[in-house]
Amino acid sequence: MPTSPEMPFDYFLTQQSANIIEDLARSLQQMSQANLLYGGRGIGKSSLIQQFIKTHLKLTPFILINFLDQKRYQGSYDIDKTESQENFSDTVLEKLESGSILILDHFEKADTTVQNNLIRFMSGQSRKTNIKLILVTDIDGVNDLKKLIHGNQLNIYSVELKGLSIAEQIAYLESRCCDGLGESLRVNS
């Protein structure tokens, strides 16, 4: 069934990321067609999606397409990884079956035509076939994307992934390399 490559590291789960993962899972179960995860560059959106796949999509057919790297597909379906961006919409969408989840990472990097075609598909055909969508994008283009989505009368659940708090940063460093860092900072301040 669905496969996802092992993460090269243990995912650092914060309260915020745990909440987002559970909210995405709940949203997909409650018939929300489209879900939007956005945040600043390098904040951890792609890692969060990989963790979501690992923990929640073990038995669910899905396709993940990373538009930052055109050849990076993963999921339950056999896809021609050399497919051009212009042709990929038809190729990928025709493979999706009812109940599938389409995850589009770095969606802001997709051609405008591809973005429009996918949103149009989601507002029409996917309603009949119960296909769900997770869009992952940079915060810079989120307002234009929301306009496109709402212009196609597609309901969307959106959530922003924010940076780590100071306490989370310290906990992260302690978990990776610097055991006792938090205590040292409290003593020195």
Side-chain angles (χ1 to χ4, degrees), residues 66-83:
N66 185 335
F67 284 99
L68 190 61
D69 178 1
Q70 288 285 307
K71 307 296 184 247
R72 187 164 165 214
Y73 293 80
Q74 74 183 65
S76 312
Y77 301 95
D78 184 29
I79 297 177
D80 179 3
K81 293 174 176 54
T82 62
E83 193 70 51

Side-chain angles (χ1 to χ4, degrees), residues 151-171:
N152 281 278
Q153 300 174 349
L154 188 61
N155 293 328
I156 189 162
Y157 165 75
S158 64
V159 63
E160 180 181 3
L161 180 62
K162 298 179 181 175
L164 299 177
S165 69
I166 297 292
E168 290 169 331
Q169 291 175 35
I170 291 169

Side-chain angles (χ1 to χ4, degrees), residues 109-176:
K109 302 288 186 194
D111 292 342
T112 306
T113 303
V114 171
Q115 289 180 355
N116 287 325
N117 288 344
L118 284 164
I119 298 302
R120 255 187 255 114
F121 170 81
M122 289 307 296
S123 66
Q125 183 63 25
S126 73
R127 288 183 183 173
K128 299 173 193 162
T129 58
N130 192 29
I131 294 170
K132 307 297 177 103
L133 175 68
I134 299 176
L135 297 173
V136 184
T137 191
D138 199 322
I139 197 166
D140 293 338
V142 78
N143 288 332
D144 291 336
L145 184 55
K146 282 182 177 180
K147 286 178 190 173
L148 174 64
I149 290 167
H150 291 299
N152 281 278
Q153 300 174 349
L154 188 61
N155 293 328
I156 189 162
Y157 165 75
S158 64
V159 63
E160 180 181 3
L161 180 62
K162 298 179 181 175
L164 299 177
S165 69
I166 297 292
E168 290 169 331
Q169 291 175 35
I170 291 169
Y172 175 79
L173 290 171
E174 286 181 328
S175 74
R176 296 298 191 255

